[in-house]
Amino acid sequence: MKRGFTLLEVILAVTILSLVGTMIYGGFSQTALNKARVEETVEHSRIVHMALDRMVRELTMAFVSTHANASLDLRVVETAFIGHDFGRDDRIDFTSFSHRRLYRNARESDQNEISYFVTADPDDPDLQVLARREQNRIDEDPRRGGRSQILVTNVEEFDIQYYDPLLSEWIETWDTEDVLAQPNRLPTQVRIKLTVSDPNRPNKTQTFG
């Protein structure tokens, strides 16, 4: 005599199968979520390293020139290297030979003005970003003009120090325009520290430099 499954046995089997399926799906879902978080953290770290590499490259091409018109009214070009200490959010403005021409026969040289500074995130005022300003020509004010772009998000601290060979020590500011500071001379070394928060763990930070 052939005997089939009772309704209770079928319900029990379906319930067990559903539980096993739910556990398997939950495991795969959590693995995929962890993978996405790790990839986002790695990508953010890669962006930070790229930004620091760019800063280093452009700082190595910084320059100041003593060739300027004696009359301030006729002076239309001003080279400079200015580093401001604003606590945890420093700023640096300098002239450089790092401009890249993107178009053939463009009336541009390799000289430019560059700034790195911390500002509020345009999408979230509670967060800070590291921005880069570039003007592809040098004018009378090396701190204004040009276009700005966001390089790094979730910035907690941006600290820059400069090594003065005359003092044989690291200092917090630099100003080639100030005759009482570092007139017409560059630091021999620049030390950069950039601290960012983990996009997936806001209470955890990473420091690069």
Side-chain angles (χ1 to χ4, degrees):
M1 178 179 179
K2 294 183 179 180
R3 182 175 178 275
F5 295 102
T6 65
L7 180 60
L8 181 60
E9 290 173 333
V10 172
I11 294 175
L12 183 60
V14 171
T15 302
I16 294 174
L17 182 62
S18 298
L19 290 174
V20 172
T22 301
M23 292 174 62
I24 293 175
Y25 174 80
F28 278 113
S29 178
Q30 187 61 41
T31 300
L33 181 61
N34 291 338
K35 179 175 180 291
R37 287 177 176 174
V38 170
E39 288 178 345
E40 185 178 0
T41 300
V42 170
E43 176 65 14
H44 193 242
S45 297
R46 186 185 68 85
I47 291 173
V48 173
H49 282 295
M50 290 178 60
L52 290 175
D53 289 343
R54 186 173 192 174
M55 290 182 64
V56 170
R57 183 175 67 253
E58 292 175 340
L59 283 168
T60 59
M61 291 185 273
F63 78 98
V64 291
S65 175
T66 58
H67 300 287
N69 197 305
S71 173
L72 295 178
D73 294 332
L74 299 177
R75 188 174 299 177
V76 295
V77 174
E78 183 78 26
T79 62
F81 189 101
I82 305 170
H84 292 287
D85 178 30
F86 295 130
R88 296 175 60 87
D89 303 327
D90 289 354
R91 178 185 176 110
I92 184 170
D93 305 273
F94 59 98
T95 48
S96 171
F97 285 116
S98 59
H99 176 63
R100 294 183 177 181
R101 286 171 288 182
L102 302 179
Y103 304 99
R104 181 180 297 178
N105 299 324
R107 295 183 178 179
E108 302 171 357
S109 70
D110 56 355
Q111 300 180 19
N112 57 356
E113 297 175 359
I114 295 177
S115 302
Y116 286 96
F117 57 95
V118 175
T119 186
D121 189 326
D123 297 325
D124 188 347
D126 293 331
L127 300 178
Q128 294 191 122
V129 299
L130 175 65
R132 174 184 180 272
R133 178 194 69 91
E134 179 182 6
Q135 180 166 274
N136 59 14
R137 61 181 179 83
I138 300 175
D139 58 19
E140 72 281 359
D141 189 346
R143 288 156 291 199
R144 294 183 176 84
R147 295 182 177 181
S148 299
Q149 64 178 133
I150 296 174
L151 294 185
V152 181
T153 58
N154 299 302
V155 173
E156 296 290 332
E157 181 179 8
F158 179 51
D159 181 71
I160 308 178
Q161 295 180 334
Y162 314 90
Y163 188 78
D164 191 334
L166 299 184
L167 301 177
S168 298
E169 65 180 15
W170 291 93
I171 58 178
E172 298 291 337
T173 62
W174 198 276
D175 192 348
T176 58
E177 295 182 333
D178 188 348
V179 295
L180 300 178
Q182 300 84 21
N184 298 319
R185 62 187 182 90
L186 299 173
T188 54
Q189 297 181 64
V190 177
R191 187 158 59 191
I192 304 169
K193 183 175 73 172
L194 180 61
T195 302
V196 299
S197 60
D198 190 317
N200 295 306
R201 293 176 294 177
N203 295 327
K204 184 176 178 58
T205 62
Q206 288 180 294
T207 299
F208 301 83

